[in-house]
Amino acid sequence: MTLRDAQEGREYIIQSIVTDDEELDAFLFSLGCYEGEPITVVSHLKGSLVVSIKDGRYSIDKELGEAILVKEK
């Protein structure tokens, strides 16, 4: 399942990030978004998602949300 399909308020584990963009991979890693890390969707907005990773909250666009594969914890 992709992060875009995840339910609000539930914690998931990141399985993989499907992108060929090395800069994007590095950016996500700097946020703490990498395989095995817990992630929670705080809210679904019109063109983006608000997610909680570690102690931070971030807004990511839905296209990026589709590139992050998650599984239920």
Side-chain angles (χ1 to χ4, degrees), residues 1-70:
M1 144 184 358
T2 68
L3 191 59
R4 185 176 177 174
D5 301 323
Q7 293 180 3
E8 292 180 11
R10 294 188 68 182
E11 190 172 61
Y12 295 87
I13 301 296
I14 299 171
Q15 282 187 300
S16 64
I17 299 170
V18 182
T19 181
D20 293 330
D21 188 341
E22 291 181 20
E23 287 183 31
L24 182 58
D25 278 340
F27 172 71
L28 290 172
F29 188 81
S30 73
L31 298 180
C33 184
Y34 47 84
E35 283 185 41
E37 191 64 30
I39 188 169
T40 304
V41 175
V42 177
S43 64
H44 290 274
L45 304 174
K46 185 173 182 178
S48 64
L49 303 165
V50 176
V51 297
S52 174
I53 306 169
K54 297 194 181 223
D55 293 332
R57 286 189 178 195
Y58 308 98
S59 177
I60 60 172
D61 65 24
K62 290 197 175 193
E63 291 174 0
L64 181 54
E66 289 181 358
I68 301 172
L69 302 178
V70 296

